[in-house]
Every structure is written in structure tokens, then in C-alpha cells.
Amino acid sequence: MSAEEQVAVVIGGASGIGWATAQLMAGRGETVVIADLDSDAADARAAALGATATAHQVDVTDGAGMRTLFDAVLDRHGAIGTVVDCAGISRPGTIADLSLDDWKATVDVCLTGAFLTVKEAARTVRDGGSVVLVASLNGRQPGVGMSAYCSAKAGVLMLTEVAAMELAPRVRVNAVNPGFVHTPLTYGATLVPGLVEEYLENTPLGRAGTPEDVAQTIGFLTSDAAGWMTGSAVDLNGGAHTMRYPDIVRRVSEMTTGS
Ligand code: NAI
């Protein structure tokens, strides 16, 4: 199937990594569906992409809503070639302090959302299509104060492998593990003195990522060039997975107590 005939659903496509991915896919001639909790942003992004793009509001944690989204895309376009789940949130806090609600919210969006994405993709993606889940460096590298996010992302990595087995050989399922990328999700971290600097000291290539860095890898994984890849997780973090993650709790504590 040519790129022009491809339909790509990008969940969390209204911001950051998802938006860069949506632009890359539109740029290679695909019809892009931007699905996001933030309907105003999704509408604006779809309008910016042009006539073939559409926006849908969805909560990635809502099974019925996800089913409605995929049915609507099938009704409109007849086939889905690519599904990318970029929806994510992070609620930091040490295990002793993190509320159960914050744990559940993070695991729900990051892990249950990925499960529902694969579940819907399994019944709607055409033969030869593919799914990419955005996991994280934190799926394999622990960070103090990040229990919910790290656990959910580690879960996404195992989900990717199970899904790859279950959907093969019809549909490929892969993941990406970005390190620190400047997006609205990480804006708060940039306000903590020394935090990004500590991250970069532990990044051999010495820089944070851009949403476009991640979109390029997602673009590769969803292309025919990656036709022999499934169940894989690609690390892209400037080499940070070889080092250690900053101690966010210590940095925030220093910021608030001044010591
Ligand atoms: P972002 O905050 O710029 O974009 C996330 C998007 O997900 C937003 O448009 C938001 O409205 C949407 N979203 C949030 N909850 C949702 C829900 N329940 N249902 C549907 N959409 C929802 O964040 P960013 O940085 O682009 O993150 C994208 C993915 O990359 C996330 O899974 C994140 O965990 C992951 N990631 C990000 C890294 C970073 O440093 N920015 C590093 C590693 C992974």
C-alpha cells in the first residue's frame, strides 16, 4: 500500500512527540487522525495539517471511547495502517508520599491506555500495518520519585512484546524509549534548578531530545524499512540509558528548602 493510501491514528497527537509524529506522517502523504483528550488542541492541529487530517476527542483510558474512535476512523477511511500511542502523563512523588489516585491516574493513562490502543488496533489495523507505543527511558532506568511512571512504562515494554507475539504476522508492534525531550510534559522539570543539567551530565551525547528526534524513529518503525522488526523497543536518549537518572526528589527538595 502506498503512503497516500495510509491512514495513521496518533493518540496524544495534539502536543509534543505526538504532534511531531503527526506532522511527519502527514509530510509523507498519509491521512492523519489526531486523537487527544484536549479537543481544542486536536482541532487546531488537524486544521494546521490540512484538508485530509481530522481530529477526534478521546480519553485513552476509556474502553468505550477508544472503540468509538476506531470505529469512526474505519467508517470514514475504510482501513487503518498505523497506530501510535503518544498519550502520557507523569505524577511524581516518592512511594511513601504518592497518593493512590496519582498512582492510578499515571498507570491508567500510560499503561492501560497502551493496552486499549493495542486492543483496538488488533481488530482494526489492516494486514501489514503497525503499532508503535511510546514507552520511556524510565521503562528500563529507575528514577527516585517516579514509581508510577517507571512501573507503567516498564509495563508498556512487556506489553509490546506480548502484543507483537499475539498480532504477528499480521501487524507489527514496537516501542520507543525516549530520554528527556523538551515538551509541555517536561516543562515543570526545566524549572527545577540543576535538574536538566544533571540529566545532561548523564547523557553521553550531551543534549536533550526534540520531539522530531522521536518522530523520526517512530516514522522508521512504521515504515516498510522496519518490516522485519516487531516486539522491539528502540532506545533514543543520547546514550542516557548507559548512565543514571537524576534524583528529582532531591532537586525539588533543594529548590523548596533552599538547601
Ligand atoms: P505532551 O504532554 O506534550 O503530550 C501528551 C499528549 O497526550 C497531550 O496532547 C495530552 O493532551 C494527551 N493526553 C494526556 N492524557 C490523555 C488521555 N487520557 N487521553 C488522550 N490523550 C491524552 O507529552 P510528550 O512529552 O509529547 O509525551 C508523549 C509520550 O512520550 C508520553 O507517553 C510520554 O510519557 C512519553 N515520553 C516523553 C518523554 C519526554 O521527555 N517528553 C520521555 C519519554 C517518554
Side-chain angles (χ1 to χ4, degrees):
M1 189 173 278
S2 67
E4 292 72 26
E5 296 167 276
Q6 286 269 28
V7 174
V9 179
V10 184
I11 301 166
S15 178
I17 292 167
W19 170 230
T21 301
Q23 290 176 91
L24 181 140
M25 291 182 171
R28 65 185 188 189
E30 296 174 30
T31 299
V32 176
V33 178
I34 295 186
D36 203 289
L37 191 61
D38 185 340
S39 60
D40 289 344
D43 286 343
R45 297 305 200 187
L49 285 185
T52 62
T54 53
H56 287 256
Q57 185 181 27
V58 77
D59 181 345
V60 74
T61 70
D62 173 15
M66 287 286 280
R67 193 171 181 91
T68 301
L69 163 70
F70 280 80
D71 283 346
V73 178
L74 269 191
D75 278 352
R76 186 181 177 108
H77 299 290
I80 298 171
T82 303
V83 178
V84 185
D85 177 21
C86 300
I89 61 169
S90 177
R91 304 263 174 93
T94 59
I95 295 167
D97 293 332
L98 190 72
S99 71
L100 181 58
D101 283 350
D102 282 344
W103 167 274
K104 283 183 173 173
T106 306
V107 172
D108 231 21
V109 175
C110 292
L111 181 55
T112 307
F115 163 73
L116 290 173
T117 298
V118 174
K119 188 177 185 62
E120 292 305 319
R123 72 178 181 92
T124 59
V125 170
R126 63 166 173 77
D127 289 3
S130 82
V131 179
V132 173
L133 303 174
V134 180
S136 171
L137 168 62
N138 291 125
R140 56 179 292 190
Q141 189 180 66
V144 173
M146 299 183 69
S147 60
Y149 189 78
C150 291
S151 303
K153 294 298 189 178
V156 172
L157 295 179
M158 184 51 75
L159 176 70
T160 302
E161 296 192 20
V162 174
M165 295 168 74
E166 292 186 3
L167 273 60
R170 235 177 40 74
V171 172
R172 298 181 299 105
V173 184
N174 291 293
V176 290
N177 290 332
F180 188 93
V181 179
H182 286 286
T183 70
L185 184 74
T186 53
Y187 176 69
T190 67
L191 304 179
V192 180
L195 185 56
V196 176
E197 289 78 1
E198 185 180 343
Y199 177 82
L200 296 181
E201 280 163 19
N202 285 289
T203 302
L205 294 187
R207 72 165 175 90
T210 64
E212 291 72 26
D213 286 324
V214 185
Q216 290 290 342
T217 301
I218 294 172
F220 166 70
L221 288 172
T222 56
S223 74
D224 290 344
W228 205 40
M229 288 180 74
T230 196
S232 298
V234 178
D235 290 309
L236 63 155
N237 51 52
H241 65 283
T242 64
M243 313 279 279
R244 67 173 183 81
Y245 210 74
D247 186 335
I248 294 174
V249 171
R250 180 173 63 84
R251 290 280 177 190
V252 171
S253 162
E254 285 169 358
M255 182 175 73
T256 51
T257 62
S259 61

